[in-house]
Amino acid sequence: MISTTSFFAPVDEDLKILTQNLRNLIGARHPILAAAAEHLFSAGGKRIRPAIVLLVSRATLGEAEPTSRHRRLAEITEMIHTASLVHDDVVDEAQLRRNVPTVNSLFDNKIAVLAGDFLFAQSSWYLANLDNLEVVKLLSEVIRDFAEGEIQQGINLFDTSLSIESYLEKSYYKTASLIANSAKAAGVLSEVPREVCEHLYHYGRELGLAFQIVDDILDFTSDTEVLGKPAGSDLISGNITAPALYAMAENPYLEVLIERGFSGEGDLEKALSIIKESQGIEKSRELALGYGKSAVTHLTCLPSSPSTQALIDLVQYNFGRIY
Amino acid sequence: MISTTSFFAPVDEDLKILTQNLRNLIGARHPILAAAAEHLFSAGGKRIRPAIVLLVSRATLGEAEPTSRHRRLAEITEMIHTASLVHDDVVDEAQLRRNVPTVNSLFDNKIAVLAGDFLFAQSSWYLANLDNLEVVKLLSEVIRDFAEGEIQQGINLFDTSLSIESYLEKSYYKTASLIANSAKAAGVLSEVPREVCEHLYHYGRELGLAFQIVDDILDFTSDTEVLGKPAGSDLISGNITAPALYAMAENPYLEVLIERGFSGEGDLEKALSIIKESQGIEKSRELALGYGKSAVTHLTCLPSSPSTQALIDLVQYNFGRIY
């Protein structure tokens, strides 16, 4: 497995500063939150989202040092992402994330609700204080999309009539929106032309979708240890992702198994083997590849530089996870 | 008991529009959320917060119709308030609020977390789209203060060393901040002079503190039916408010009872009777009265009008609840 570190070389130092700042921003005053923050911000997160913001910042600033507002944007991005994970884990009753106990399992639901609210609240305060109304709008859109995505996912559990379009819409809300809008926001702070901002948005959107699809593939192809949560856990909880959607079209018996919530003996094993034997994984790969290729085309508006190259390499890194 | 309705006469029609708008803003797309929204926005809330925003709007606009942005601000205020109640009820495991089952008890914790997140997210999106950076900052401060207040309250449960200053600080965060900052924001939207905005902030702050203190008195003096939750429920859950703080200073035995979490037989009854027999209620009344008087002085900057008078009457209405 390829480490993300090499891709993030241009922003390695920036990410160290970010981690330190995040700890300082959250931890200072409340012992319980400090424990939760320490737990959250040292739990081996790959920091992909702030890394993208920092890479876009450098790429649009002619490789100059990111300003304090670019750095703050990267921090806000990670705070919003972390807040959404904390509340997701409450809603999904998840016990593990990245092999680390979730806040709700380590403390309890109350602390997890509070910690998530606190992170959302801090991030919206820091956001307002970036003093840029367009950036505020872009990121408040993200917060709204998170809530929308989580609700759509909740409503569609075990719904076998879900279309690939609805799956992609939900994936946009839950994953791509943050990457798209924060990449664009970094461009806005750098005051690049409007059309560059739009390309940055689309780079983030397509990359985000490709990331989500690859994650959804890995949920079927990886083992528990690599995944940091039980394999097939999305399907078990009724969250129907790309590989299952394609497999259902091929073998309608999968629909039956899902609709009865895997209540029969051996149902889950049967469902997982139907998916593995189908073209579902391969078709999902192709879907992700399409988004990845499209993401790269949106970077041609940037001057070549180590950071621009890193943004391109990130698309490759994503596919390295499944090839 | 005096109804709030008469005080809100200048904005009665505005509040009807607001209620309809809130239902439309939330309910349309998601059946579960629609049910939660219907439940939340018809649960007999007094709409005090949006009423204050609308009264300030009219008072600062020479009694002209509030603009759509003033109305939207009032809606945002109620959405933020409602979101915070929904998450508070999860954190406090509350079963009833205003005699109505809470979202977490009617549905479950998951739906309550989602519904609260959705309301916060919607409100921050509408907020950004008011296109006024100062208003965004004022309200994002409120969201941050809510999280801070809930955490402070959580940390200080059963802590008998709590000072009256810390109690007031927490009350500011949990109650007064929203009223203060939204009253000021209404003034900002009306483009009144800076010092009028500051007076509006202080009116809201002092009124909010007076409201919270009166609520805390009522928790001891009302019966369950009027209160819509069990009497003394703050104390039972370890939330030490003004009457208990003053009573402790008079009778240190109350401290012993609180510190052992009312674990002895009859501890709670004993505690409640110590508070009722002490000067705690009376001293709390005086504390609230002081804030109420101060609130009124901050309104002298406004031209007299039915709405200005209603803002003054609201201070009286608050005391009508305990006299």
Side-chain angles (χ1 to χ4, degrees), chain B residues 44-57:
Chain B
K46 293 192 292 288
R47 309 259 186 273
I48 289 176
R49 289 155 189 81
I52 293 171
V53 169
L54 291 162
L55 288 169
V56 170
S57 301

Side-chain angles (χ1 to χ4, degrees), chain B residues 18 25 38 64 80 82 91-92 140-141 155 162 170 185 203 219 223 226 233 254 277 280 298 314:
Chain B
L18 173 119
L25 290 177
E38 191 60 36
I80 294 179
T82 306
V91 171
D92 301 342
S140 72
E141 185 83 30
I155 287 174
L162 184 80
K170 185 218 61 181
Y203 165 76
D219 191 55
D223 38 281
V226 177
S233 60
L254 179 56
E277 283 158 20
H298 285 288
L314 198 51

Side-chain angles (χ1 to χ4, degrees), chain A residues 169-187:
Chain A
E169 188 181 66
K170 185 219 62 182
S171 301
Y172 172 75
Y173 287 142
K174 290 202 68 182
T175 307
S177 173
L178 175 61
I179 302 177
N181 285 297
S182 62
K184 180 175 174 181

Side-chain angles (χ1 to χ4, degrees), chain B residues 27-29 31 46 67 102-103 116 130 138 145 164 177 181 192 198 238 276 283 294 298 302 305:
Chain B
R29 288 157 67 186
K46 293 192 292 288
T67 68
T102 55
V103 176
L130 281 180
L138 290 171
D145 287 345
I164 197 91
S177 172
N181 284 296
V192 297
E198 290 312 312
K276 283 195 181 171
K283 284 189 175 168
S294 167
H298 285 288
L302 295 180
S305 77

Side-chain angles (χ1 to χ4, degrees), chain A residues 15-30 33-45 47 75 78-79 118-119 122 126:
Chain A
L15 288 172
K16 281 182 196 153
I17 298 171
L18 173 120
T19 300
Q20 197 48 53
N21 279 353
L22 284 173
R23 287 185 180 165
N24 293 344
L25 289 177
I26 311 298
R29 287 159 65 188
H30 306 297
L33 272 196
E38 189 60 34
H39 173 72
L40 288 166
F41 292 120
S42 39
R47 308 260 187 272
E75 290 154 15
E78 187 71 353
M79 285 166 75
F118 187 77
L119 286 171
Q122 285 286 73
Y126 285 120

Side-chain angles (χ1 to χ4, degrees), chain A residues 274-286:
Chain A
I274 287 174
I275 292 167
K276 284 198 180 168
E277 284 157 20
S278 76
Q279 292 295 305
I281 303 287
E282 188 46 39
K283 284 188 175 168
S284 302
R285 270 192 188 128
E286 281 161 24

Side-chain angles (χ1 to χ4, degrees), chain A residues 13-250:
Chain A
E13 279 308 306
D14 297 333
L15 288 172
K16 281 182 196 153
I17 298 171
L18 173 120
T19 300
Q20 197 48 53
N21 279 353
L22 284 173
R23 287 185 180 165
N24 293 344
L25 289 177
I26 311 298
R29 287 159 65 188
H30 306 297
I32 303 171
L33 272 196
E38 189 60 34
H39 173 72
L40 288 166
F41 292 120
S42 39
K46 291 194 290 288
R47 308 260 187 272
I48 288 177
R49 289 155 188 82
I52 293 170
V53 169
L54 291 162
L55 288 169
V56 170
S57 302
R58 286 186 174 267
T60 52
L61 291 168
E63 294 290 335
E65 287 288 295
T67 67
S68 58
R69 294 163 82 216
H70 287 94
R71 290 189 193 281
R72 185 50 57 91
L73 175 66
E75 290 154 15
I76 290 168
T77 303
E78 187 71 353
M79 285 166 75
I80 293 179
H81 171 60
T82 305
S84 78
L85 295 184
V86 172
H87 280 187
D88 273 11
D89 287 340
V90 174
V91 171
D92 302 341
E93 296 172 359
Q95 302 299 306
L96 279 181
R97 181 178 287 275
R98 304 178 195 132
N99 279 322
V100 173
T102 56
V103 176
N104 46 305
S105 73
L106 199 62
F107 301 91
D108 59 25
N109 274 351
K110 290 189 201 188
I111 299 288
V113 172
L114 282 181
D117 282 355
F118 187 77
L119 286 171
F120 274 128
Q122 285 286 73
S123 62
S124 73
W125 189 81
Y126 285 120
L127 186 58
N129 285 281
L130 281 181
D131 275 315
N132 184 310
L133 202 46
E134 187 178 3
V135 172
V136 172
K137 284 187 192 180
L138 290 172
L139 276 288
S140 71
E141 186 82 32
V142 171
I143 295 174
R144 198 167 86 140
D145 288 345
F146 273 145
E148 181 72 35
E150 188 67 17
I151 287 164
Q152 285 198 7
Q153 183 169 309
I155 286 173
N156 294 320
L157 291 181
F158 297 103
D159 178 358
T160 54
S161 71
L162 184 80
S163 66
I164 197 91
E165 288 73 26
S166 304
Y167 159 77
L168 288 170
E169 188 181 66
K170 185 219 62 182
S171 301
Y172 172 75
Y173 287 142
K174 290 202 68 182
T175 307
S177 173
L178 175 61
I179 302 177
N181 285 297
S182 62
K184 180 175 174 181
V188 170
L189 290 179
S190 299
E191 298 180 5
V192 295
R194 186 88 341 230
E195 70 265 25
V196 175
C197 291
E198 290 313 313
H199 281 301
L200 289 169
Y201 170 87
H202 283 283
Y203 165 77
R205 178 180 181 279
E206 320 288 81
L207 177 66
L209 290 172
F211 255 113
Q212 185 58 56
I213 297 163
V214 167
D215 271 349
D216 293 339
I217 292 170
L218 287 171
D219 191 54
F220 291 106
T221 59
S222 291
D223 38 282
T224 305
E225 205 179 321
V226 177
L227 222 52
K229 59 179 182 177
S233 61
D234 283 334
L235 192 65
I236 299 167
S237 64
N239 179 19
I240 307 176
T241 59
L245 284 170
Y246 288 122
M248 260 196 305
E250 235 175 86

